[in-house]
Amino acid sequence: DATGTKKPPRLDDAADAKRRKERPVRAKSLALRGLTLRQCPRVTAACVSWLAPRLSRLETLDLAFAPAACTDASISCVARCCPRLRVLLLGKAPDDKGVSK
């Protein structure tokens, strides 16, 4: 401004600056041994297929009650990319009477 003092950034400007500095995860391999995505309806098969090659050390994966994540292709990708996997939990959400399908 005219007085030469700098105005504090608006909240929106600070949030935008933070967003610009964030970088996507590009790790070749994540050092996770266990991952729980139980009851995460937004986790898709594409997400699981994207994660699987980065989880070569994974021993336990819980996808129970995350039906969008469990397709033949995504589970095949997990099996191929996670050679240490020993426990894979799958399942569908219970119906309105509490019975798993």
Side-chain angles (χ1 to χ4, degrees):
D1 66 7
T3 62
T5 59
K6 197 172 186 179
K7 289 183 182 179
R10 292 182 327 173
L11 190 56
D12 293 339
D13 293 340
D16 288 342
K18 183 180 177 186
R19 236 181 272 122
R20 284 191 299 270
K21 290 180 183 178
E22 292 176 358
R23 295 197 174 134
V25 175
R26 296 177 193 244
K28 290 183 181 179
S29 181
L30 302 173
L32 296 177
R33 289 180 32 200
L35 179 61
T36 298
L37 298 171
R38 174 181 288 263
Q39 294 181 332
C40 293
R42 290 187 167 182
V43 174
T44 64
C47 177
V48 172
S49 295
W50 182 86
L51 276 172
R54 293 158 179 83
L55 299 172
S56 61
R57 298 178 184 158
L58 197 67
E59 296 174 8
T60 303
L61 179 59
D62 184 352
L63 293 172
F65 312 118
C70 302
T71 64
D72 290 344
S74 66
I75 301 305
S76 175
C77 185
V78 168
R80 188 174 55 254
C81 297
C82 303
R84 297 182 183 179
L85 191 69
R86 298 293 174 257
V87 177
L88 177 60
L89 301 173
L90 304 173
K92 294 183 180 180
D95 63 14
D96 59 348
K97 295 176 184 157
V99 178
S100 292
K101 299 176 183 175

